[in-house]
Amino acid sequence: MTTQIADNIRTIRNRMAAAAARAGRDPAGIRLMAVSKTVEPERIRQAIDAGIGLLGENYVQEAREKIPAVGQAVQWHMIGHLQTNKVKYVVTLFDWIHSVDRLELAQELSRRAGQHGRVLNVLIEINVSGEASKNGARPADVLELARQVAALPNLSVRGLMTMPPYSDDPENSRPYFVALRRLRDELAAAALPGVAMAELSMGMTDDFEVAIEEGATIIRVGRAIFGERRST
Ligand SMILES: *Cc1c(COP(=O)(O)O)cnc(C)c1O
């Protein structure tokens, strides 16, 4: 039996391959994350059955209920804004944290991960647009932040993440994706000890093809897989 979710995933993979071809990239270097906020475990399992191995959640309380129900045979990534007092829950649930945007948060993640003998993969979230309403470190601060985070024993810096301002035209996202890639290249050139700058987490339902053209290695897709979310 094929499900709507499986059909959606097949369509997205085709679009990913076409975008990669346009950019002369190997599609194997681009991972599809299914963003499952507000999606119930049964429908998440349909995505896993259709080949999804990477899931993203935004809210700690929701993740605490759903991740144990779905299981940890897949990789779970935390992509939402994280308060320091919630860190104690996330270090056992998630393998990757995409939303590290300040040293205080990184220090707490490393400390708590250490208590469980874990090393978490982290991305530094960048506020490329500079909008006051957006989370993320300022581009001007990222070199120093990456240096400090990399020095923490239980975190491994793997790259950068961003979320451009909302727009109904995906081309409007392109300059932000280009800016994130350039920042990644600058950081990679700085060759900070312990910092791998391989990953660019960027692109969602409305703009993932543009993100792939500009170098995304992880795209975070919710609605194109699971349908519109019920409003919260
Ligand atoms: C919700 C969310 C997504 C997925 O958005 P869609 O438009 O549903 O694809 C990706 N990244 C983050 C950080 C999100 O909060």
Side-chain angles (χ1 to χ4, degrees):
M1 191 191 74
T2 171
T3 62
Q4 181 67 53
I5 287 171
D7 284 346
N8 292 345
I9 290 168
R10 196 172 318 109
T11 303
I12 293 165
R13 291 210 186 276
N14 289 336
R15 290 170 59 189
M16 289 172 69
R22 281 196 297 280
R25 298 185 58 197
D26 179 355
I30 306 154
R31 290 194 288 163
L32 171 60
M33 170 197 294
V35 175
S36 53
K37 61 180 171 231
T38 79
V39 178
E40 57 277 28
E42 170 52 31
R43 298 172 68 239
I44 297 175
R45 281 189 209 102
Q46 290 179 13
I48 295 170
D49 289 346
I52 289 290
L54 175 52
L55 286 151
E57 285 282 340
N58 286 68
Y59 306 107
V60 172
Q61 187 50 40
E62 189 183 341
R64 289 178 69 196
E65 291 161 17
K66 279 163 44 182
I67 293 179
V70 174
Q72 283 174 303
V74 288
Q75 224 182 58
W76 290 92
H77 290 205
M78 173 65 187
I79 62 173
H81 181 65
L82 196 46
Q83 291 170 302
T84 308
N85 63 1
K86 300 278 176 63
V87 161
K88 56 180 175 288
Y89 304 116
V90 306
V91 295
T92 54
L93 291 170
F94 293 95
D95 303 299
W96 290 58
I97 313 289
H98 289 224
S99 45
V100 172
D101 59 358
R102 57 199 192 279
L103 183 60
E104 176 209 24
L105 173 62
Q107 287 168 330
E108 182 65 1
L109 280 165
S110 183
R111 189 176 76 81
R112 294 279 185 177
Q115 291 173 349
H116 296 275
R118 303 196 74 201
V119 175
L120 296 176
N121 297 299
V122 300
L123 304 180
I124 298 181
E125 179 174 1
I126 309 290
N127 182 356
V128 179
S129 67
E131 287 175 293
S133 62
K134 278 253 166 6
N135 299 309
R138 296 189 320 166
D141 296 336
V142 68
L143 184 67
E144 189 51 30
L145 182 59
R147 192 194 308 279
Q148 291 170 322
V149 175
L152 298 169
N154 291 79
L155 299 184
S156 175
V157 180
R158 305 296 294 266
L160 304 179
M161 179 272 220
T162 201
M163 229 169 124
Y166 173 78
S167 162
D168 51 19
D169 180 356
E171 280 303 323
N172 290 338
S173 297
R174 192 181 298 273
Y176 300 101
F177 295 151
V178 170
L180 195 72
R181 185 187 69 224
R182 291 197 176 133
L183 201 54
R184 191 269 316 266
D185 292 345
E186 280 170 34
L187 279 168
L192 300 174
V195 175
M197 272 290 145
E199 304 287 347
L200 282 178
S201 167
M202 59 188 197
M204 322 199 307
T205 288
D206 294 324
D207 56 15
F208 70 83
E209 287 150 310
V210 173
I212 289 170
E213 288 168 13
E214 298 303 342
T217 63
I218 301 175
I219 59 169
R220 310 181 306 266
V221 179
R223 289 168 300 131
I225 293 176
F226 296 111
E228 291 298 321
R229 285 181 286 278
R230 61 174 190 272
S231 50
T232 44

